[in-house]
């Protein structure tokens, strides 16, 4: 029995790349969308003649800021703006907010709200604010970093 090979490349339906939402994306966001599409794990489900493609890892798609910076040479602010643009136009949503300091990566879902972009049906779902209070503040810096502050020398 021949071994199944993974398909090479990505499938984008013409409706996506001709949509108002896609045409309104920034150049960086359109590149980031393609990189997200490369991360999908697709398979056919259903009976012959009524098959459809399903994303098996939707909601579990990883794309870290470090990877964007190291592999694609995107600064963190530029990557964040691209993510925000993709969310604002209805292409992706954040399934889980990670925290870089905690070595916890965000996970994403690819969605199809973009189909209604520019119509009354389109609902803008902005990025949720992270209220976990991760990171350093002047009050907890020593505790979280495990270091002592240097005494001010005047």
């Amino acid at each position: 029995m021949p071994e199944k090979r993974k398909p090479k490349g990505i499938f984008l339906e013409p409706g996506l790349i001709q949509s108002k939402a896609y045409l309104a994306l920034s150049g960086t966001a359109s590149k980031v969308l393609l990189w997200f599409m490369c991360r999908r794990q697709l398979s056919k489900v259903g009976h012959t003649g009524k098959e459809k493609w399903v994303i098996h890892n939707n909601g579990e798609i990883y794309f870290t800021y470090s990877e964007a910076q190291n592999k694609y040479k995107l600064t963190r602010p530029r990557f964040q703006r691209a993510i925000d643009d993709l969310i604002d136009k209805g292409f992706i949503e954040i399934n889980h907010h990670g925290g870089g300091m905690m070595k916890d990566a965000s996970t994403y879902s690819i969605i199809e709200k973009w189909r209604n972009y520019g119509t009354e049906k389109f609902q803008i779902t902005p990025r949720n604010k992270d209220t976990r209070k991760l990171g350093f503040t002047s009050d907890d810096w020593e505790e979280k970093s495990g270091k002592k502050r240097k005494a001010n020398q005047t």
Side-chain angles (χ1 to χ4, degrees):
M1 182 170 179
E3 184 179 315
K4 277 191 167 183
R5 290 185 292 157
K6 277 188 165 183
K8 295 184 186 215
I10 57 173
F11 173 78
L12 297 175
E13 63 180 278
L16 184 144
I17 59 176
Q18 296 168 354
S19 69
K20 289 180 184 179
Y22 184 81
L23 296 173
L25 288 174
S26 70
T28 302
S30 61
K31 289 178 188 176
V32 171
L33 177 62
L34 294 177
W35 295 325
F36 267 107
M37 294 298 195
C38 289
R39 294 162 191 273
R40 296 180 298 181
Q41 295 173 0
L42 297 170
S43 64
K44 282 185 184 179
V45 296
H47 301 291
T48 305
K50 295 186 178 186
E51 302 156 338
K52 67 178 188 175
W53 289 96
V54 174
I55 305 172
H56 283 286
N57 63 332
N58 219 11
E60 299 172 2
I61 299 172
Y62 291 93
F63 197 161
T64 65
Y65 282 74
S66 296
E67 183 179 359
Q69 189 171 21
N70 297 332
K71 190 172 182 180
Y72 301 111
K73 307 301 181 216
L74 295 179
T75 62
R76 289 176 183 272
R78 194 169 180 194
F79 184 61
Q80 182 174 349
R81 285 191 302 269
I83 294 290
D84 288 340
D85 199 11
L86 292 171
I87 291 169
D88 291 344
K89 304 291 188 312
F91 289 100
I92 65 169
E93 63 187 4
I94 299 174
N95 187 52
H96 167 73
H97 283 277
M101 187 178 123
M102 308 300 284
K103 301 290 184 197
D104 178 28
S106 295
T107 56
Y108 301 90
S109 295
I110 296 173
I111 59 173
E112 295 191 354
K113 288 183 179 180
W114 58 267
R115 293 182 184 279
N116 293 321
Y117 182 79
T119 69
E120 291 178 9
K121 291 181 182 178
F122 185 73
Q123 297 283 326
I124 297 174
T125 309
R127 178 194 292 247
N128 292 332
K129 296 290 183 194
D130 190 353
T131 58
R132 294 175 296 166
K133 300 195 187 267
L134 299 175
F136 297 112
T137 66
S138 57
D139 296 335
D140 66 3
W141 184 85
E142 288 181 357
E143 179 185 336
K144 286 188 176 179
S145 69
K147 299 178 181 178
K148 293 285 183 191
R149 291 187 190 274
K150 293 180 182 176
N152 283 343
Q153 296 175 345
T154 53

